[in-house]
Amino acid sequence: MPGLLLRTLRGENAGERPVWLMRQAGRYLPEYRALRTQKGGFLALVYDSEAAAEITLQPIRRFGFDGAILFS
C-alpha cells in the first residue's frame, strides 16, 4: 500500500494530512551535525552524493516521514 504522501498526491482520502518539513529544520539533529563535522562542512555534504542522501534520510528515519523532496 502506498504511503500517506503518495495517496494524498493521488487525491485519495488518506485519513490524515501529510506534513511538510523543510530540510533546514533537520539541521538541529545530532546525527546531521556529526556528519557535517566529519565531512568538513555543509558544502562537503552537498558535493558528496552519499552524504547528501544520508542527510535527506535522517529525518525520515527518526520521525517516520513518508518522503523527501530534493531541490537542486
Side-chain angles (χ1 to χ4, degrees):
M1 171 175 244
L4 175 63
L5 181 62
L6 291 177
R7 291 193 318 265
T8 301
L9 290 172
R10 290 180 182 153
E12 300 172 13
N13 183 352
E16 52 188 291
R17 295 182 181 174
V19 175
W20 176 275
L21 175 73
M22 294 193 61
R23 173 64 200 120
Q24 290 84 352
R27 289 186 179 174
Y28 70 92
L29 295 176
E31 55 267 39
Y32 169 84
R33 291 178 174 270
L35 185 59
R36 185 182 68 189
T37 299
Q38 175 190 347
K39 293 292 182 178
F42 178 75
L43 283 179
L45 292 174
V46 172
Y47 291 115
D48 180 332
S49 58
E50 287 188 30
E54 174 59 29
I55 62 172
T56 300
L57 293 172
Q58 286 174 351
I60 293 173
R61 287 190 199 112
R62 182 178 274 252
F63 301 111
F65 296 135
D66 290 306
I69 299 171
L70 302 176
F71 297 93
S72 62

